[in-house]
Amino acid sequence: MLGRRSVAVAGLVLALGACADSSEPPKAAVPAAPTLTADGRIIVRGQGLTYAIRPPQGWSARSVRGADRSTKSMVTVADISPPGGVPAVISGQMRTKTSEINSIDSWIERVTKTRRATDHDFTLWRAGPVPVARPSAMLVLENSEPPEGEGQPVDHEAVVLIEEPGAIAEIFLTTKTRELLDQYLSTLRVVAASYGPAM
């Protein structure tokens, strides 16, 4: 999951380079500048919800294009990464409510069913409260590790869900090791606590 966007960006760079004059070296892609509020929070924007979260001090933030998994419409996603190339990212996303997913409980039910279709041992558990003035939940998603020597190591994930009238904000933490997930869970909670309308 952490490498998908970098692969997409690399492909875009190669495509643009092929179209350029062969006598000029291809130019590196410039990361999208964060869309920030006046108080320095980065904005997540979709059809059913616009909100902002504050990157921790020293972390980098960028706005990228993503998709609302309910409507498949394009959304502006906020990716926040720790310094030093640590393989971890906090990603602010959103999902428009539908008849199938219209609450935090139905989100949990749907994600559990979908993950278990390919990972029979998948589990998730609640990781304590989140200090926001909306219905919310913090969850750790436990993906099964493949047998040693088989397949790629799994991502380790946690998510804060914040329910709004027309959508559910999803603030994901994704890391490459369980130790990093445990290390950054408190950071995820702090980032989620900064959630609020984008002014």
Side-chain angles (χ1 to χ4, degrees):
M1 183 178 292
L2 289 174
R4 290 175 187 164
R5 292 197 182 99
S6 59
V7 169
V9 171
L12 178 60
V13 172
L14 290 173
L16 292 175
C19 297
D21 186 338
S22 59
S23 64
E24 297 179 9
K27 295 179 180 178
V30 178
T35 305
L36 299 176
T37 62
D39 63 356
R41 291 176 300 143
I42 186 167
I43 295 173
V44 178
R45 183 178 286 112
Q47 273 187 341
L49 178 65
T50 298
Y51 70 91
I53 50 179
R54 186 182 306 283
Q57 187 171 5
W59 288 45
S60 61
R62 63 178 188 149
S63 297
V64 297
R65 299 297 284 169
D68 180 330
R69 282 182 292 278
S70 291
T71 64
K72 308 305 180 187
S73 60
M74 296 301 291
V75 300
T76 300
V77 173
D79 276 0
I80 305 170
S81 302
V86 175
V89 63
I90 292 176
S91 183
Q93 306 176 32
M94 55 82 61
R95 180 192 289 265
T96 300
K97 286 184 175 178
T98 64
S99 58
E100 187 175 31
I101 300 178
N102 56 18
S103 66
I104 289 173
D105 286 343
S106 58
W107 187 103
I108 292 170
E109 182 179 349
R110 177 61 179 171
V111 168
T112 301
K113 180 179 179 181
T114 301
R115 295 288 183 96
R116 284 183 180 166
T118 55
D119 178 357
H120 298 297
D121 296 323
F122 170 82
T123 59
L124 59 79
W125 48 273
R126 293 179 183 261
V130 183
V132 294
R134 301 291 307 166
S136 62
M138 184 168 174
L139 309 167
V140 172
L141 287 67
E142 298 273 10
N143 302 301
S144 298
E145 292 282 1
E148 189 171 350
E150 296 182 23
Q152 295 294 318
V154 299
D155 287 336
H156 297 266
E157 301 172 277
V159 63
V160 171
L161 304 175
I162 301 172
E163 188 172 344
E164 295 286 0
I168 298 173
E170 303 169 318
I171 307 173
F172 279 94
L173 166 64
T174 307
T175 71
K176 282 300 182 184
T177 68
R178 182 53 193 259
E179 291 75 17
L180 284 172
L181 186 81
D182 292 340
Q183 178 182 340
Y184 288 125
L185 274 179
S186 59
T187 306
L188 174 62
R189 184 175 279 108
V190 170
V191 171
S194 72
Y195 171 93
M199 300 298 186

